Amino acid sequence: MIVANTAARAGLNQSVKTGVAFYAPLKSPSHPNPSGDRKIARLFIRALEQAGYHVDLASQLRSFDKAGDSLRQQRLIALAKKEARRIMRRWQQKGFTPQAWFTYHLYYKAPDLIGPIICHSLNIPYIVAEASWAEKRASGGWALYHQEVAKGLALASKVICINPVDKLALTAFYAQQPQHDSPLVSLNTFIDDLPNTDKISPSSVISTRTELAEKYDLDSRLPWLITIAMMRSGDKHSSYQQLSSVVDLLQQPYQLLIIGDGVMQAEVQGLFAPYKQVKFAGAVENNQIRQLLPHFELLLWPAINEALGMIFLEAQQAGVAVVAGDQGGVSSIVRNNVTGILVDAYNATDMALAIDNLLLDPAKLKLMQQAAIEYVEQHHSIDASALQIKYVIQDALLDPTSKV
């Protein structure tokens, strides 16, 4: 479980730090199941702490409604009101008052039902990162939650956008609001430093290609490709289906290691059963993944309906070039024809051709791998993002036109 207070662990004097309440309504950073959403929530906490803030994980209430059930939404809205009161009582008992509220990821299936209540009560700025707006949800099963998203966006002093696709819809939303200045702020998706091997169990550290080949039954004489994704129904399974079509078309020799598990694991493994060059590793801890990535040449993923995909940054940071589907915000974290190749996510022929061409041109592939390392270091470091987030919060705290 993540503890959202590095300062407390280090025994530092928190009285000099500005307190920020942090909340992720879709998935708490303390949630036991790994995912990209949990990973980004944790990264925002680290960035906030690196920026000098004392971060309090305000709540772990999950507002997620997958089915569009208005009765469930009503119950969660009522529960959130009680949760807001409970949080403020806890803070009062601790003698803690946050100077700002920071919500990561709200959308029509998981709005922030707590933050706006507390910000009104305490008269503090409401700051949001990675919000999305879908006007078509104004009617239908998520209409009630859609209204809650609108309330949160209207209240927000700052809205940090890390996905350029989301920013388009948010820009249209704020153009219709009776205010002069848009709260939108662009921020590059960011990543922390590579993990320190001293913090990883020695038995799990793989230091050589030979050890990796033995562990996962890979042929060390061939190029190694890798795919890392949960095996869930819906878009993830669709991407795996597309990837199996790509594999069927590849002409060059290779080995592909697939890392991930989930409820669709048997089905995914069945898709690749005819291909002996495809191996499965099951679930692997993120720290271990980032240790083994430098041994691979290419990361493959169709990314069907993928919002961002943090694994693309982690791979590039480790010097792995990318061949992926050009969906969602993927193009904002992979430089096409520089650090990888982006293709139509639904065109298996184009993806297979891109992979084969890179395997046929090791010199070009090597240039992409080096460019990937430099690109992440220059444009997606946590250091630069922490500084920008600090300025965003300072601006919200100093803004005399606060909406709260």
Side-chain angles (χ1 to χ4, degrees), residues 122-134:
L122 301 182
N123 193 30
I124 59 175
Y126 181 61
I127 301 167
V128 172
E130 197 176 355
S132 64
W133 176 251

Side-chain angles (χ1 to χ4, degrees), residues 195-361:
N196 186 342
T197 55
D198 293 339
K199 299 178 182 179
I200 304 174
S201 170
S203 63
S204 66
V205 175
I206 300 173
S207 57
T208 70
R209 187 176 174 92
T210 301
E211 290 173 340
L212 197 58
E214 291 176 356
K215 182 169 185 176
Y216 295 115
D217 189 28
L218 297 168
D219 188 336
S220 60
R221 298 167 298 179
L222 299 177
W224 287 0
L225 319 179
I226 191 167
T227 290
I228 304 169
M230 294 293 290
M231 297 173 180
R232 297 194 297 257
S233 60
D235 294 331
K236 286 289 191 288
H237 189 248
S238 296
S239 281
Y240 273 116
Q241 289 176 311
Q242 183 71 355
L243 182 62
S244 69
S245 298
V246 172
V247 165
D248 189 59
L249 295 170
L250 290 174
Q251 301 298 309
Q252 296 305 305
Y254 67 93
Q255 299 275 276
L256 170 62
L257 182 66
I258 296 179
I259 294 178
D261 66 358
V263 296
M264 300 293 287
Q265 184 168 354
E267 290 83 353
V268 170
Q269 290 179 342
L271 291 172
F272 297 90
Y275 312 106
K276 302 305 180 185
Q277 65 272 46
V278 178
K279 315 293 182 179
F280 289 88
V284 178
E285 286 294 323
N286 184 253
N287 276 351
Q288 295 178 37
I289 288 173
R290 293 173 74 178
Q291 289 297 320
L292 63 84
L293 273 170
H295 297 283
F296 289 79
E297 278 72 46
L298 279 171
L299 174 78
L300 313 181
W301 189 236
I304 292 174
N305 290 329
E306 194 89 37
L308 283 167
M310 290 300 294
I311 191 60
F312 295 125
L313 284 182
E314 291 179 349
Q316 291 174 100
Q317 183 187 52
V320 183
V322 173
V323 176
D326 190 2
Q327 291 264 296
V330 175
S331 62
S332 71
I333 55 177
V334 177
R335 288 193 65 189
N336 191 25
N337 294 318
V338 178
T339 68
I341 297 176
L342 301 180
V343 300
D344 181 347
Y346 298 96
N347 193 323
T349 301
D350 282 358
M351 181 169 283
L353 185 61
I355 296 166
D356 277 334
N357 285 342
L358 285 175
L359 294 180
L360 280 168
D361 192 347

